[in-house]
């Protein structure tokens, strides 16, 4: 049986000491890979799900490759269609607007943060179907309306609008959806 920890009593207090942590190397360095080994590992990494070039570069750095070797591997992955940022953007947009029900603004912000080019972002954003997008907005609005406990109609409307804005939806669409739902409009 493996002993995970030991209990000691000191001045009437029980201490639990993890024995495993006493034998771990504090300065453990990551394993270094040859370019051939790194190519196999990173190919599996890219085959598992769509990746950005930035993610692959970061992963290759952890494998201990220099910049030239990493660049050659990235070029090879692109040639073999294992790494395609346009395809990544399209898959990201489809998943986040259909499943997570994010709005255009939040999706674009996330894609920019991932370091994608404007061309790839625009290509990905073309995946959004306008009718389905608006229906997502309405579904989220109705769900939030059922959950919201605020009795004041104006405050309730503001809270719902704030929630939808945080999900990345545009203000004009939110206003239209709130008006369609019959929520009390804000005084302007």
């Amino acid at each position: 049986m493996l002993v995970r920890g030991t209990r000691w009593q000191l001045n009437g207090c029980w201490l639990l000491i993890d024995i495993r942590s006493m034998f771990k190397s504090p300065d453990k360095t990551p394993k270094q890979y040859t370019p051939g080994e790194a190519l196999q590992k990173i190919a599996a990494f890219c085959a598992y799900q769509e990746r950005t070039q930035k993610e692959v570069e970061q992963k290759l750095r952890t494998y201990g490759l220099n910049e030239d070797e990493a660049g050659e591997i990235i070029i090879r992955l692109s040639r073999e269609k294992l790494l395609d940022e346009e395809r990544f953007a399209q898959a990201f947009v489809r998943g986040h607007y259909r499943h997570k029900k994010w709005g255009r603004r939040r999706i674009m912000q996330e894609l920019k943060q991932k370091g994608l080019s404007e061309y790839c972002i625009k290509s990905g954003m073309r995946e959004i179907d306008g009718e389905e997008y608006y229906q997502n907005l309405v579904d989220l609005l109705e769900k939030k309306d059922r959950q919201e406990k605020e009795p004041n109609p104006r405050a309730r409307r503001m809270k719902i609008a704030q929630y939808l804005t945080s999900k990345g939806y545009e203000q004009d669409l939110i206003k239209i959806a709130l008006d369609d739902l019959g929520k009390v409009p804000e005084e302007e």
Side-chain angles (χ1 to χ4, degrees), residues 5-18:
T6 307
R7 291 170 51 148
W8 296 85
Q9 190 170 17
L10 178 66
N11 297 333
C13 296
W14 284 96
L15 301 174
L16 181 62
I17 299 172
D18 188 1

Side-chain angles (χ1 to χ4, degrees), residues 68-105:
D68 293 335
E69 293 169 333
E72 289 175 22
I73 289 174
I74 288 172
I75 290 169
R76 184 162 175 192
L77 291 171
S78 295
R79 247 186 286 130
E80 294 175 7
K81 297 293 184 196
L82 284 168
L83 183 63
D84 186 348
E85 289 194 335
E86 186 175 354
R87 194 174 61 212
F88 170 85
Q90 292 167 348
F92 185 91
V93 169
R94 274 192 309 271
H96 284 77
Y97 106 88
R98 286 195 177 132
H99 301 292
K100 290 191 173 187
K101 301 199 185 307
W102 284 4
R104 286 187 185 100
R105 294 174 62 215

Side-chain angles (χ1 to χ4, degrees), residues 4 7 9 21 32 43 48 52 60 64 74 97 108 110 118 137 143 145 147 150 155 169 171-172 181-183:
R4 292 190 176 199
R7 291 170 51 148
Q9 190 170 17
S21 64
Q32 303 293 309
Y48 179 70
T52 65
L60 288 171
I74 288 172
Y97 106 88
M108 285 182 69
E110 291 290 323
E118 285 296 318
L137 171 64
K143 181 179 177 185
D145 188 45
Q147 293 173 347
E150 178 64 49
Y169 289 94
Q171 289 293 325
D172 56 338
L181 190 66
K183 293 291 151 196

Side-chain angles (χ1 to χ4, degrees), residues 105 161-162 164-166 169-177:
R105 294 174 62 215
Q162 187 176 21
L164 294 171
T165 302
S166 75
Y169 289 94
E170 299 85 349
Q171 289 293 325
D172 56 338
L173 278 178
I174 293 171
K175 185 179 181 331
I176 292 168

